[in-house]
Amino acid sequence: MVDKAETLKRLLEETPQEMAPERDLWQGIARSLDAPTGNSHSYWRPMAIASTLLLALVVGKFSLWPTAPNAEDDALIQTLATIQAQHQASVDALSLTKRVDWRSSPYSQPVEQGIEQLRAAAKEIYDALKLNPTDKQLWQLWLWTQQREIELIKQGQKLPVDRDTTGEMI
């Protein structure tokens, strides 16, 4: 046992503190950072696939275990409805404070698809939560989908929009 510890210690001491890559990687990284975002599916496609798989797991797992409602569950379901109403109010407020019509952006389609997918997932999770309101992981997932929806709406409001020669949106 001592020999292994000493061997490990010796190997760690002999290991270089830093390593340089065989070739300069920064040029490729810089090109990908500067690349136009015309292919915005590269970000949304994996997110959509992950959301779909997660949704399938959640629906498959929790629809098998309906629980009988009790007073505690009723209070949690009421809290669930309150949070849902607050979230909808936040989404409505964001849509009223928009500076530009981001849906006129050529990049808006992936954002809109992401928002629709998050809303569908949130609805499925909400329905599962009504059946099992004590599941903490399900609560976290539901709140995460709401947070991501708001983030996507905010990102959509920052998208560049098409303008004609007079500066008006087209």
Side-chain angles (χ1 to χ4, degrees):
M1 186 77 168
V2 175
D3 293 331
K4 289 182 181 179
E6 288 177 18
T7 303
L8 178 60
K9 185 177 179 181
R10 182 181 50 79
L11 289 172
L12 287 173
E13 289 172 356
E14 292 173 2
T15 304
Q17 293 298 318
E18 62 181 52
M19 295 177 62
E22 293 176 10
R23 57 186 164 81
D24 184 18
L25 301 174
W26 183 247
Q27 292 175 350
I29 294 170
R31 270 196 310 268
S32 66
L33 290 175
D34 293 335
T37 58
N39 187 7
S40 56
H41 296 296
S42 62
Y43 174 74
W44 298 109
R45 185 170 286 139
M47 181 181 240
I49 292 170
S51 298
T52 303
L53 290 174
L54 189 58
L55 180 61
L57 286 172
V58 168
V59 171
K61 180 177 180 183
F62 295 105
S63 64
L64 298 176
W65 297 329
T67 58
N70 59 31
E72 181 181 322
D73 288 355
D74 290 341
L76 287 172
I77 290 171
Q78 182 62 36
T79 303
L80 188 69
T82 302
I83 293 171
Q84 176 67 16
Q86 290 172 346
H87 172 72
Q88 189 58 47
S90 296
V91 168
D92 292 343
L94 276 173
S95 65
L96 291 176
T97 60
K98 64 182 177 187
R99 292 180 216 128
V100 295
D101 184 13
W102 58 273
R103 288 180 175 88
S104 67
S105 171
Y107 307 109
S108 68
Q109 183 185 15
V111 174
E112 289 178 29
Q113 286 176 336
I115 290 170
E116 288 177 27
Q117 289 172 346
L118 283 169
R119 286 179 180 161
K123 182 181 179 337
E124 291 288 331
I125 297 166
Y126 181 83
D127 291 341
L129 265 173
K130 287 195 285 187
L131 295 174
N132 190 5
T134 58
D135 189 317
K136 291 178 184 178
Q137 290 179 334
L138 203 52
W139 272 90
Q140 289 173 344
L141 181 61
W142 182 61
L143 294 172
W144 179 87
T145 59
Q146 289 182 335
Q147 183 182 18
R148 292 304 170 265
E149 178 185 359
I150 288 174
E151 287 174 7
L152 273 181
I153 291 170
K154 287 179 180 179
Q155 286 177 4
Q157 291 176 344
K158 295 177 184 177
L159 288 175
V161 294
D162 289 336
R163 298 187 181 274
D164 67 8
T165 56
T166 63
E168 295 293 323
M169 287 189 298
I170 54 172

